[in-house]
Amino acid sequence: MLDTILKGGLPIGKNVLWQELRRTEFEQAVKADAIVIIPVAATEQHGEHLPVNTDASACFTIAQRAAQAIEEFPVLVLPVIWTGYSPMFVAYPVTITLKYHTFVEVLTEIAVSVYAHGFRKILCLNGHGGNHAIVAGIGRKLIDEEHVPSVGYSWWFIPSVEEQM
Ligand SMILES: [Zn+2]
């Protein structure tokens, strides 16, 4: 299925976007124990051939299409976190970065907010290499300091993606 998603297939047109749901739909999603994906990306240079929203667009699209393709349980996708940890690219005029601790706090406070609304399955789906170590480790901080269970993953480490790269 991921192969279809990566090639642009959109199996189902159901709405999975957090920002477009009504309050009653959130209540239903909580009762159904929905998974919530927090797409985490960057706004930065991507060479001379790609736009600055490359990470954000790819990460959000993968999250949205995966959520639409899953029929066994509900999955919601938050708006993409469009800025991340990109100090390595600040020499380029397009890059917008957060400092390390600011970025960690942004992720923390968004995940804590999602949890506070009753969602118990949270995935931080990363789409930017500079964020990888932070997102991969955020679960430890969230459970130890906030008692919020979560998983952090970079989309290119999804096993079937690795096989195709
Ligand atoms: Zn990047």
Side-chain angles (χ1 to χ4, degrees):
M1 183 186 317
L2 187 60
D3 183 46
T4 301
I5 293 168
L6 291 173
K7 289 177 180 168
L10 193 58
I12 305 166
K14 67 181 176 181
N15 188 6
V16 296
L17 301 182
W18 177 280
Q19 68 269 26
E20 293 183 4
L21 296 182
R22 296 171 182 84
R23 201 169 82 188
T24 54
E25 293 171 316
F26 278 107
E27 291 165 358
Q28 292 168 1
V30 169
K31 285 180 185 166
D33 199 22
I35 291 177
V36 176
I37 301 176
I38 304 172
V40 187
T43 294
E44 64 183 12
Q45 72 82 36
H46 266 275
E48 297 178 356
H49 61 299
L50 290 171
V52 297
N53 71 342
T54 296
D55 287 346
S57 180
C59 184
F60 182 74
T61 300
I62 289 169
Q64 181 182 14
R65 290 183 175 168
Q68 288 175 321
I70 294 169
E71 296 179 0
E72 293 79 7
F73 45 84
V75 183
L76 298 179
V77 180
L78 257 73
V80 67
I81 300 175
W82 59 267
T83 184
Y85 189 65
S86 304
M88 67 293 279
F89 292 136
V90 291
Y92 297 94
V94 297
T95 300
I96 297 173
T97 187
L98 298 175
K99 289 185 176 178
Y100 182 93
H101 291 290
T102 306
F103 181 52
V104 169
E105 286 308 303
V106 167
L107 293 181
T108 298
E109 293 183 28
I110 289 173
V112 167
S113 294
V114 170
Y115 186 82
H117 295 307
F119 295 101
R120 296 295 177 261
K121 297 173 179 170
I122 300 171
L123 166 64
C124 295
L125 184 67
N126 177 46
H128 163 57
N131 295 346
H132 172 72
I134 300 169
V135 173
I138 198 71
R140 186 80 261 162
K141 178 186 188 298
L142 286 170
I143 195 67
D144 288 349
E145 298 181 4
E146 309 292 344
H147 310 294
V148 171
S150 69
V151 175
Y153 218 72
S154 292
W155 67 257
W156 54 89
F157 286 130
I158 296 171
S160 60
V161 175
E162 282 188 297
E163 290 168 13
Q164 295 171 37
M165 292 178 77

